[in-house]
Every structure is written in structure tokens, then in C-alpha cells.
Amino acid sequence: MARLITNRRQMLKMGAALGGLAASGLPLPALAQDTRLRMFWWGSKERADRTNKVNKLYEAAHPSIGINGETLGWPDYWPRLATQTAGRNAPDLIQMDYRYIVEYARRGALLAFDDYMPSILKIEDFGKDAIECGRVDGKLYGVNLGNNSTAFVYDAETVKQLGVEEPQWDWSWTQWGEWSGRVAQKKPGYWGMQDGGGVEPSLDCWTRQRGKSLYTAEGRLGFDLKDAEDWFGFWHELRQKGAVPPADVQALDKNAPESSMLALGKAAAISTNSNQLVAHQALVKTKLNMTMQPSGGPGAKPGQYLKPSMLWSISARSKVAEEAVRLVNYYVTDPEAGKVLGVERGVPASKALREAVGPTLDGQNKIALDYIAFITDKVGPLPPSAPKGAGEIAFLLKRVNELISFEQASVADGAKQFFDEANSILDRG
């Protein structure tokens, strides 16, 4: 009650003051609208710190705008977003992944940016590919937050201390497996790389190197049962040799930087996205580096590709859509925002922003920037966005790999289970 009385007194005083100004003929000041924007993203503490800092910069420059930010880890983010969307309570700004954008756009859950270009959203210098990756059925539903690719991030300092050579960008899967075993021999309870059998981006790379794909343009699996058997079999053989962590150790990884084999001190190298080098470095004291995913050997096709690390999307039900678009534009074009964000969400798609941010980057951020420059002429084209159900299939891959690693299923049975369940998920559409 006391607060209500205070507010009422303040309103009366303001009214009296405005009345006096009006009587004097002086211009009236604009009243704050107090627009609130809800923003939701996944990621590490490093990302949260950078995001919150940018939001405060924006609020300082726009006193009438307030931003309520919320973040979760990747595994929890998508169930929460799905629940909010179904309950017509989605946040205004949604950090969107390339794999999910088609599903959300076709459900009518996202706002098309086209009517705000170029009056508010000014992304002309992104380049065609960096813009088109956010389009679904001809309309723009996602704005690229940065370009990245998959990578193997590894503990260069520890590897050197162990007297083992650093991995090379053109190593094959077999060479990586042999290297992982050599690291394991040097330090008990420590391996060269994680068990990657449940890592979907690595399987994606593997299938593309065979001239196939994870998914077809029609939304079906782009590889066959034999490919799946070979994939699970490769990791099963490494486990048997003691070249990668055993099942009970690998199970500690909950698909978050904080629980990775690298962060837990169990492996020297993990498969991740290039922009996540910054987040992983924040979790370990030793110096990290990164290189390309294993190659498919002589004559293999490129397995990697440049992709949007993530995109900003806006809820179709947002009541503050125009202000949300302005904030998106700030994130992807403003030099001050870019300097705070660095390349933690990927290398900026805007040429002008890259030129502004590049000279300000520290060692680890510079590594991420140089990595994208290095691999650009070594990667293949961006595939079509994954079909509805792809996120569920990614979790299925991890689950089946765990069944095999815990010896609850053979390689052949596990591969068939994965193949059958994945097709059932896609059949549901």
C-alpha cells in the first residue's frame, strides 16, 4: 500500500510540473514507455556474461527499454522453448538454431523480418549465404549471429607436457584414434579424445565425407544402415582398445561445456563448434587450440561446412516486435556490441563488424577468427536445414551409443535400433 501511495504522489507531482510547463509555453518532455523485451538463449556462463553486458549497453542508450534475459543449457533449452511456444508465451527474442528454424517457422511461431529490411534491420553487408541461411520458404525468420563450423578443440598445453604431438588438420579418423590411444598410454585415466559416437555433428561430417548426408533435402536420412554400423563400430573398437573413455566416464558428459570430457579433465580433445573455444577456455587453466574434424582420407569429400552458429528469431506473437528487431540489429551491426560479444557466438557475418572487432580480439578469440579464415576454402556447401525431429534424433544418437558402450546392445543391433527409430521420428513429421 505504501508503494502505491508513493507512486500516486509522484504522479500528482509530475502532473503539476507538466501543467506548469504547459502554462509557460515550454515543450513537454517525452514520457518513458518502459517497454520490456524478453530474451532467451542457451549457452555457457561466458555467453551469459557477454550477453548481459550488451543488454546493459543497449538499455543505457535506450532508457525506455528494459531487457529481461533468461538462459539455459542446450539440453534444457529446447523443451522449455517448446513449452513456452505451445503455451503462447514465447519470449520476444529467441536464440534459434539452424536445425530447428524450419520447424518453428512452418508452425507459424516466428516473425518474418522482411518488412523491417532495410529500414530497421540493416544486414546488406552480410553476404548472400549468411542471409539465406535464415530463410524458410523464401522469408527471413532468423538473423545470423555469427559464422562457425565444427572443430576439434584440444588441450595444446597438456598434450605438449605429455610429449605427444599436436593433432593436424588433415588427419584421418584412424589417425585421430591412434593418437588418442597414445595419449591414454601417457596418462592413466586420461584419453586423447572423447567417445564421439553420440556426437551428431561428427556423424554429419562422417557421412558427408562418404558423399552422403545426414539428411536429404526431402527430410529423410541421407545415409544407410551400413554407414551407421561403420560409425558405431569405429567408436566401439576404440573403446575396446582403451583409446577413448569407457562408458561410465563418457556418461558424465551432459552435452554442456561444463561437463565435457575436456572440462572434467578426462580427455585432451572434444568435438564442438568453433565459436565455443572461448567458453571451453574459460573452464580450463591450460591453453587450448583447435583444428578441423578428422578427414575421410584420400579422395574423400569435404565433411565440414560454414554455418550460422545461431540466429536471432522473434516470436510471431511478440507485442513489441519492432523494438525487438531494433535490438537484433544492434547485436549484429553495432561495433560496441560486437567488441563485447567477440566471436563467442561465431565470427560476425557483417564485413564492417568483422573489421571493427578483429583488431580488438585477444589470443583465443583470434584463434577462432583465424580458424574460420583457414577452413573457408576446405569446406563444402551448407546443407538444407534439418527436418522436424532432427533434435530428437540427435539425442537418440547419444542414447544408442551409450547402449552400445555399456554393452546393452551390439554394434549391429544398436545401428538398426538407431536407424529404425530415426525413421519413425521422421515419419511423424
Side-chain angles (χ1 to χ4, degrees):
M1 180 62 71
R3 182 165 183 169
L4 289 174
I5 293 173
T6 300
N7 288 341
R8 186 169 183 273
R9 287 173 179 169
Q10 290 173 342
M11 289 177 66
L12 290 172
K13 289 179 180 179
M14 182 180 290
L18 291 176
L21 284 173
S24 69
L26 295 174
L28 296 177
L31 294 176
Q33 296 180 353
D34 194 26
T35 300
R36 307 300 297 181
L37 298 172
R38 290 174 56 216
M39 174 187 286
F40 190 29
W41 70 91
W42 74 83
S44 64
K45 182 180 183 300
E46 175 78 14
R47 180 171 300 163
D49 290 343
R50 290 171 183 261
T51 303
N52 288 328
K53 188 172 181 179
V54 170
N55 287 347
K56 288 179 181 178
L57 286 174
Y58 191 82
E59 289 174 331
H62 303 81
S64 66
I65 304 297
I67 304 169
N68 296 333
E70 182 183 359
T71 180
L72 286 175
W74 173 270
D76 300 319
Y77 178 85
W78 297 103
R80 173 74 66 83
L81 180 60
T83 299
Q84 291 179 336
T85 302
R88 300 186 176 186
N89 188 38
D92 300 295
L93 280 88
I94 301 167
Q95 187 172 280
M96 179 56 58
D97 188 74
Y98 185 64
R99 77 164 69 242
Y100 289 105
I101 191 168
V102 170
E103 178 179 346
Y104 275 83
R106 288 181 176 167
R107 286 166 57 188
L110 304 180
L111 177 82
F113 285 95
D114 304 77
D115 291 342
Y116 300 92
M117 300 166 59
S119 58
I120 299 176
L121 184 61
K122 306 176 187 299
I123 57 174
E124 296 84 357
D125 74 336
F126 273 30
K128 181 180 178 181
D129 290 344
I131 295 176
E132 291 301 311
C133 65
R135 290 196 183 278
V136 178
D137 300 330
K139 292 187 176 182
L140 189 71
Y141 291 100
V143 176
N144 191 337
L145 269 166
N147 289 317
N148 76 347
S149 185
T150 53
F152 264 33
V153 168
Y154 64 93
D155 188 333
E157 187 174 332
T158 298
V159 166
K160 183 178 181 180
Q161 291 171 353
L162 293 176
V164 180
E165 74 274 30
E166 288 192 37
Q168 302 299 305
W169 71 270
D170 57 352
W171 275 4
S172 68
W173 292 92
T174 298
Q175 287 174 300
W176 269 94
E178 292 170 346
W179 175 83
S180 187
R182 290 196 295 275
V183 173
Q185 291 174 358
K186 293 282 186 177
K187 184 178 180 180
Y190 190 75
W191 294 266
M193 61 179 175
Q194 71 186 116
D195 175 350
V199 179
E200 186 221 45
S202 288
L203 175 60
D204 186 16
C205 184
W206 168 284
T207 58
R208 286 168 60 89
Q209 288 165 351
R210 294 184 164 203
K212 300 178 183 181
S213 63
L214 197 59
Y215 298 105
T216 67
E218 294 73 33
R220 307 302 304 180
L221 293 179
F223 58 97
D224 57 32
L225 181 59
K226 177 63 165 55
D227 297 312
E229 289 180 357
D230 290 347
W231 173 254
F232 289 122
F234 171 77
W235 295 101
H236 179 65
E237 184 177 348
L238 290 181
R239 281 191 297 272
Q240 289 184 316
K241 293 179 178 179
V244 294
D248 59 333
V249 174
Q250 184 60 47
L252 299 173
D253 186 346
K254 305 302 181 184
N255 280 351
E258 295 79 6
S259 63
S260 73
M261 293 291 97
L262 184 63
L264 296 179
K266 300 297 184 181
I270 61 170
S271 175
T272 185
N273 288 312
S274 59
N275 63 291
Q276 290 185 299
L277 174 66
V278 178
H280 288 293
Q281 184 62 80
L283 296 169
V284 299
K285 296 179 179 179
T286 48
K287 289 298 181 183
L288 305 181
N289 203 341
M290 66 181 168
T291 189
M292 294 184 73
Q293 291 263 356
S295 75
K301 296 182 180 295
Q304 292 182 229
Y305 47 87
L306 297 180
K307 65 182 285 288
S309 58
M310 55 208 72
L311 309 107
W312 275 136
S313 293
I314 294 176
S315 169
R317 301 183 65 84
S318 174
K319 296 179 180 180
V320 288
E322 182 172 319
E323 289 301 334
V325 175
R326 292 185 189 280
L327 181 54
V328 168
N329 187 69
Y330 180 76
Y331 261 81
V332 299
T333 66
D334 186 272
E336 293 308 311
K339 290 173 185 177
V340 173
L341 295 171
V343 294
E344 195 278 330
R345 275 188 169 94
V347 175
S350 163
K351 182 175 183 294
L353 199 57
R354 287 197 302 273
E355 292 174 349
V357 172
T360 71
L361 297 178
D362 60 19
Q364 296 307 100
N365 283 281
K366 187 69 164 53
I367 288 173
L369 183 69
D370 291 345
Y371 176 76
I372 294 299
F374 174 75
I375 72 171
T376 295
D377 63 353
K378 300 175 179 63
V379 299
L382 179 70
S385 181
K388 183 178 180 180
E392 187 177 350
I393 292 173
F395 287 111
L396 169 66
L397 180 70
K398 185 176 187 296
R399 176 164 56 84
V400 170
N401 189 64
E402 288 180 346
L403 288 176
I404 297 171
S405 65
F406 278 107
E407 298 184 350
Q408 296 176 356
S410 67
V411 167
D413 288 345
K416 187 175 187 307
Q417 179 178 342
F418 172 77
F419 214 72
D420 290 345
E421 288 192 31
N423 280 316
S424 295
I425 291 169
L426 295 174
D427 286 341
R428 294 202 305 264

